[in-house]
Each structure stands twice: as C-alpha cells, then as structure tokens.
Amino acid sequence: MTAALLAPAGVFFLFLLIIPLAVVLVFSFGERAPAGGYAAAFTFDNYLNLPARSKAFINTLTLAPLGTLLTAIIAFPVAYFLAVKVSPRWRVTMLVLIMAPFWTSQLLRYYAWIMLLGAKGIPSWLALIGITDVRLINTPWAVLIGAVYGFLPLMVPPIYVSLEKLDKRLLEASADLGATPVSTFFQITLPLALPGVATGSMLVFILLMGDYILPQYLGGGKVFFIGNALVDLFLQSRNWPFGAAVSVALVLIMLVTIYAYMRFVLSRGDRRRAALV
Amino acid sequence: MKQNVIEFRNVSKLFGNVAAVIDNNLAVEAGEFLSILGPSGCGKTTSLRMMAGFEQPTSGEVYIRGENVTGVPAFRRPVNMVFQHYALFPHLSVQDNVSYGLRQRRPRPATADVAKAVDEALSMVRLDGYGSRRTYELSGGQQQRVALARALINRPAVLLLDEPLAALDRKLRRDMQVELQNLQRNVGITFLLVTHDQEEALSMSDRVCVMREGRLVQVGTPRELYDKPVNRYVAEFVGKSNFFKAGEAGKVTSVRPELIDVAKSKKALPDGLVTSTEAKVLNRIFLGEQTEYRVASESLGEFAVVTPRKAEREAGAFDIGDRIAVGWRAEAARLLPDE
C-alpha cells in the first residue's frame, strides 16, 4: 500500500531528477564534440576550467544571499503586521493582495522594472531634484530590487504562518518579566518565527541561485548569474561538458549552503517547531 | 495600619461600551495572600491585568508601593505574573526561562550570580536539577512550578496569579494549594490570586475580595465572608446557603445547611432553637465525611441540610420519605439584602 502510494513520486524523481542528474554528472567528465554537444571521455578539464566562469559564481554567491536577506528583512514587518496587527477579517484579503503580482507574467513585470529603472524612469525623476548620474538598470542594485520585488510574495506567507502560531501571551510574559518591546522582539518573537524565516529564505535562496531571467533582464548581461552562464554554455557555445561541470558545481554549492544554514537555524530556534517545517 | 503594596483609586475599565471594572478601590496589603473571587466576567482578570500593566484603566489610578504607575507599561512595573497556561517560552530551557527576568536587568547581573539565583529558585519549587530540561518535556505541575520560579526569582512587590491551578487535575490542585501557601510564607512576598473557585480562595488566602459585575462586593477574611456575608450574592458564592423569605421587603434569611439541627422528632431536637418545623426527606446525597439532605416543609418550602457522619452514630441516617424535625438557633439565621 505504502509502496503503491509512493510509486508516482518515486517514478517522477527517478526519471526527472535522478537520471538527469546522473547524465549531467557523466557529461561533466566528457569532452565537447567538434560540432558542439557531448563526446564521451574521462577528463577533469571541465572542472579545472571552472575559474573561467568565476564572475558568474561570484555574482550569484553574493547577490543571491544578499537578495534573500533583503527580502526577509522587508517581508518580516509585513508578515508581523498581518499576523499581529490586522484584524482576522482582513488577513486573507491582504495576503491575497500580497500575492497579486503573481497574477501577471514574470516577464511583463521585469519589463516594467526595466522602464522604471531605466534612464527615463527613476533616474530621470531623481535628476529633477538635483540628483544626477544615477544608474540603476544593468547594475547589481537593479538585480537586488528585482529580487525583493519578485520574491517578497514567497517570503511573506511562511513568516506570517509562524508569527500567527506564536502565542501572544508569551509576549506579555516577556514584558511582565521586564523585557522592553525591542528585547521581547529579539528574544521571543524572532526566535519563534525563525522556522518561518528559514522556510521562506530557503525558497527564495534556491530560486535566486538558479535564476537567469532576473539577471538577464535587469542585469542586462552585465550582471550575470550562473544560470546565464549555463544558458550561454548549453545554447550558444554548445560546450555541454563544461556546462555540466558548472551545473554540478552549482548543485554542490547549494547543498552545502542549505545544509549549513539549516544546521544553524535548528541550533538557534525552537528545535521542536523547526523540525516540523 | 498595614501598608498597601497595590492600590486602586476609583479605577474603572471600559471595553467599548462594556464596563469590566467599575469604580474599584481594591487594596493589597504588604505580605498578605489576597484572592479575588468571582464568576467569569466579573472583572477579576481585568483588575489583575491592570496591575500587571497589560491594560490601562479608563479612569482612576493604580499605585504600586505608593507610587502612581497609571500608564506605566508592564515591563517597568515591579510585579510579576504566573499566567493561567503558564506561558513558558518554548524555545528556552527551564533555566533560561527562570533566569529571563534577571537577564533583562541593566546593568546585566553576573552570569555566576544568575546561575546561583536560578538554582535557588528551582530548589524553592522543588525542581532541583531540572535546569537543562526543555519546558515541553515537563508535566503540567512541573510547568506550573517553573512559572512560579520564573516570577519569584525577581522578588516582585506582588506576585500575580491568574487562575494558576485551573489547568491541573483535582489531586494535583490540592497539593499545589498547600505548596503555594507554604511558598508564600517562606518567601514573604505578597500574593494576589484570581480565581472563580471559592474553595481555593477560602483555603489559601488571608483575605478574599468578592467581585461582581465589575464591582467589589465584600473584602474580608475567609471566615468573615463565610460567617458574615454582606448580601445574598456573597452567601451564595462563598459556601452554600438556604434562603428563606423574610418579613422585611428586599431581604432574605440565610441559613447555612450545616447549622441546621436535625432529629427524628421535634422532641429530640436540642433546646434553644428559634425555628423548628417538621419536614420530609426528599433526597439524600452521600458526601463521605457528611451527608446532605434535601428536605421540604410546609412552612419553609424546600431546603438543604448537611449533617456530619458523626451525628449518624446516635440517630442513624434518614431515608428518603422519612418525616423528620429540623430547626436552628437564632445566630444561625442571618437577615441579608436580597441582591
């Protein structure tokens, strides 16, 4: 019975995750065929060649964590407001409104930001008040703004859920024991909401690490991620083995960061609750 | 005169149009164990929350140790609370829960001093060695004690207890009542308990104040409340009583069931009774150390009588349907306002 229930997911993972991963792994040790694509071989050259793409790795590994952090910092007060201050009648409505941007295509939204951040957008308005020579589009700032904008709706709900579960009497107990509102926030609210922050951050971080549309549009090819490097390697230069090696490196980096991060969160927050997330 | 640790001066609290507390002048004396007794919705919890600083009065002032603390937030008040469901911090160990109050102080006390105080506090509530446990690993009674230790470690001016025993089972509740009383005597801290359980209030407190619909009805020792209730409400809420029509309008005669003498016949009743009549036994409830009868007489109607088991040695127990004689002494009957 259990086996039967697990079968669909098992087949799914086998054909769409494990086998493709194995293929990528095998490819990463191969050679580029003269006409592009894969030729069987066993060499570490592709891995030794990784530094050639270090810029993509550096960009991804700085902007993805930074974007996640920014999103979490901006999402937390929103989630707190929803969970604590807004009357239950309006909560669902407001949550839906936060999700509303998802109703339009991601591409359209990025095009809107290209306009906003471009020379005729925000920089031109800033010029009106005397702040000139501001460049936003095709800079890391544009990518960060896009990250926060695009992923905020994913970050708010998990934090909201953990804050909503938070027993408000604990906050009273903390105040009763002499903790100022700020201390209460850092000693009670934040640690107890940490599982939600961790879940939201994981979601956003994983998506950002693998993203290529965001840097493509708002980074304009100047601020590129590993995802852009992959598109370039597989579709343009058709160097599949090197692309495979870059992919394997990306997967490994993600595994290590996520593992380290979860370990950290679990050691800090309420173990029992964090384990449920 | 004893000094008041907490004093309400004409405190009222409105929630929208609903008055939770009306013109209250409650005073808690230093060192005493005071209970606020009343049914749910009588304003007792709101009173407690105004002392803790979670609520601010709509009008009137709150004084703690002679200082006007009206408008002062909870974290700046020298009182601590044991919450109804304890409100222990789930992400902290027992010792971190207990030391929480000390760790909020500025300048921060030395780690060694905190550790020592925690050990003392845990030992006071008989939880030695439980410091590194997680709170959710503990039983209800143990969690209760952690909550007590967490509050008492701060040496509050008053310890506020919000129905602290409500979540415990009967047997444990009895034990905790004794333990709370002992604890209060040992630490010498003023305790203020809020409860709807009259037995709890009577058995533990030095003084009890009975509240009704936001107002103080009577304040006194448990004995005063039981023997000299100011009106029908107090007599009914504190212990059991029978109420008979009195000659005066707006008044009732209250007679405690255990103060009624019972015998097989009028002749067998003791001398010196002001009221005596024949009655029929309608019902008998065996209560262990005593027996409660529901009886009916033509002149008085239905009422309750409680006899100690000891009395049954001579007369034996009565059966349903028996005709018996009942009566009471002048001092057993109290003429009370019917309110």
Side-chain angles (χ1 to χ4, degrees):
Chain A
M1 186 61 195
T2 315
L5 286 173
L6 287 176
V11 169
F12 180 90
F13 278 121
L14 180 69
F15 283 97
L16 297 178
L17 185 78
I18 296 171
I19 294 178
L21 256 182
V23 170
V24 170
L25 199 63
V26 169
F27 275 28
S28 71
F29 293 104
E31 280 176 353
R32 181 182 188 271
Y38 168 74
F42 187 80
T43 166
F44 290 99
D45 286 353
N46 298 314
Y47 286 98
L48 295 172
N49 203 20
L50 280 178
R53 295 285 171 165
S54 59
K55 193 88 181 88
F57 278 95
I58 290 167
N59 279 342
T60 312
L61 288 173
T62 48
L63 292 176
L66 214 59
T68 309
L69 183 71
L70 265 178
T71 311
I73 289 173
I74 292 170
F76 200 96
V78 179
Y80 185 86
F81 176 75
L82 276 177
V84 180
K85 304 282 179 194
V86 174
S87 87
R89 292 197 313 158
W90 292 103
R91 279 182 194 160
V92 176
T93 317
M94 295 188 90
L95 263 179
V96 169
L97 284 177
I98 287 172
M99 307 295 276
F102 275 162
W103 298 342
T104 35
S105 139
Q106 192 189 15
L107 274 174
L108 275 179
R109 285 182 283 133
Y110 284 146
Y111 270 116
W113 276 107
I114 292 177
M115 296 299 169
L116 279 171
L117 299 175
K120 287 176 183 162
I122 293 169
S124 70
W125 307 335
L126 288 175
L128 291 178
I129 55 167
I131 306 167
T132 50
D133 288 337
V134 177
R135 252 177 45 82
L136 285 173
I137 193 71
N138 303 345
T139 66
W141 300 113
V143 175
L144 284 177
I145 291 171
V148 171
Y149 172 77
F151 294 112
L152 196 71
L154 283 180
M155 187 72 94
V156 172
I159 302 179
Y160 164 80
V161 168
S162 62
L163 283 172
E164 219 251 328
K165 277 194 300 188
L166 177 75
D167 187 347
K168 307 302 175 291
R169 283 172 301 195
L170 296 179
L171 308 181
E172 286 190 344
S174 173
D176 183 66
L177 292 164
T180 61
V182 174
S183 316
T184 297
F185 178 80
F186 283 107
Q187 291 178 90
I188 307 296
T189 314
L190 192 57
L192 288 175
L194 214 52
V197 178
T199 310
S201 301
M202 276 295 101
L203 268 174
V204 172
F205 180 71
I206 292 168
L207 289 173
L208 260 179
M209 285 284 282
D211 204 349
Y212 85 96
I213 297 177
L214 169 64
Q216 168 96 13
Y217 283 82
L218 299 184
K222 292 200 175 66
V223 184
F224 46 85
F225 276 20
I226 299 173
N228 306 84
L230 289 176
V231 172
D232 177 49
L233 285 172
F234 278 98
L235 302 181
Q236 307 298 321
S237 46
R238 291 182 51 77
N239 189 346
W240 289 9
F242 188 37
V246 172
S247 303
V248 171
L250 177 63
V251 170
L252 284 180
I253 288 169
M254 285 229 239
L255 279 178
V256 170
T257 4
I258 292 169
Y259 181 76
Y261 180 76
M262 288 314 271
R263 278 292 293 265
F264 171 74
V265 169
L266 289 177
S267 71
R268 293 302 299 269
D270 172 5
R271 280 155 227 258
R272 188 182 44 153
R273 289 216 214 176
L276 294 176
V277 174
Chain B
M1 207 187 101
K2 280 192 179 173
Q3 198 210 329
N4 290 334
V5 233
I6 297 190
E7 215 179 300
F8 274 3
R9 296 200 188 154
N10 307 100
V11 166
S12 295
K13 176 71 183 176
L14 301 172
F15 291 108
N17 292 325
V18 185
V21 172
I22 305 159
D23 199 27
N24 195 310
N25 284 300
L26 190 79
V28 187
E29 290 173 2
E32 75 172 335
F33 194 137
L34 178 75
S35 292
I36 305 182
L37 176 65
S40 56
C42 74
K44 56 188 195 299
T45 298
T46 305
S47 299
L48 197 74
R49 291 175 59 80
M50 283 193 283
M51 294 176 189
F54 300 136
E55 308 282 355
Q56 299 296 344
T58 312
S59 64
E61 286 113 44
V62 182
Y63 285 77
I64 297 181
R65 283 175 175 155
E67 203 179 312
N68 188 346
V69 295
T70 321
V72 172
F75 66 91
R76 287 209 197 97
R77 293 195 184 191
V79 295
N80 288 117
M81 183 139 150
V82 172
F83 290 79
Q84 193 170 355
H85 298 283
Y86 321 137
L88 298 178
F89 305 125
H91 60 304
L92 300 180
S93 65
V94 168
Q95 61 201 6
D96 289 345
N97 263 281
V98 174
S99 65
Y100 194 86
L102 295 183
R103 287 188 283 119
Q104 306 312 317
R105 297 198 176 157
R106 299 294 177 272
R108 215 180 247 266
T111 317
D113 293 344
V114 172
K116 192 164 161 275
V118 169
D119 284 345
E120 279 170 14
L122 284 177
S123 145
M124 185 171 67
V125 295
R126 299 193 285 114
L127 281 178
D128 309 73
Y130 278 73
S132 55
R133 300 273 188 104
R134 291 260 148 184
T135 55
Y136 49 78
E137 295 168 356
L138 305 181
S139 70
Q142 290 168 333
Q143 292 188 12
Q144 163 91 78
R145 288 168 210 215
V146 175
L148 274 168
R150 183 176 74 173
L152 286 172
I153 198 172
N154 308 300
R155 310 287 311 172
V158 178
L159 180 73
L160 308 171
L161 300 129
D162 184 14
E163 306 252 6
L165 307 179
L168 302 178
D169 63 59
R170 201 179 146 76
K171 173 83 179 63
L172 205 56
R173 201 152 61 207
R174 284 279 187 152
D175 294 345
M176 278 311 289
Q177 283 180 13
V178 177
E179 201 164 327
L180 271 180
Q181 257 187 305
N182 292 338
L183 200 60
Q184 198 260 338
R185 281 194 206 114
N186 293 340
V187 296
I189 287 174
T190 313
F191 276 34
L192 178 76
L193 177 104
V194 155
T195 181
H196 64 271
D197 184 335
Q198 51 114 350
E199 184 207 298
E200 206 167 284
L202 292 187
S203 63
M204 289 199 283
S205 353
D206 300 316
R207 290 197 309 152
V208 178
C209 66
V210 181
M211 279 187 77
R212 178 195 201 179
E213 287 163 9
R215 294 176 198 277
L216 281 187
V217 184
Q218 188 174 4
V219 186
T221 64
R223 190 178 285 267
E224 278 167 5
L225 292 183
Y226 193 86
D227 290 344
K228 293 170 189 162
V230 295
N231 60 19
R232 179 181 177 146
Y233 176 78
V234 175
E236 218 164 13
F237 205 79
V238 178
K240 275 186 184 173
S241 202
N242 296 303
F243 300 101
F244 302 107
K245 248 189 224 157
E248 262 176 81
K251 298 242 172 174
V252 285
T253 305
S254 160
V255 184
R256 297 283 187 197
E258 73 277 10
L259 295 180
I260 299 178
D261 286 296
V262 204
K264 280 196 166 137
S265 66
K266 273 199 170 184
K267 271 184 284 174
L269 282 174
D271 296 334
L273 304 182
V274 286
T275 308
S276 65
T277 175
E278 290 199 334
K280 198 174 132 193
V281 177
L282 299 177
N283 199 1
R284 183 172 72 183
I285 304 161
F286 179 70
L287 293 171
E289 68 271 41
Q290 56 195 20
T291 308
E292 182 180 324
Y293 295 99
R294 190 96 203 139
V295 302
S297 92
E298 269 172 28
S299 52
L300 296 169
E302 268 185 46
F303 55 98
V305 178
V306 168
T307 62
R309 293 296 301 287
K310 245 172 109 180
E312 291 177 10
R313 270 191 224 150
E314 301 127 38
F318 302 113
D319 287 320
I320 293 169
D322 280 0
R323 293 207 64 86
I324 58 166
V326 295
W328 56 80
R329 290 165 179 277
E331 61 267 29
R334 294 193 63 85
L335 196 63
L336 299 175
D338 186 14
E339 57 187 25

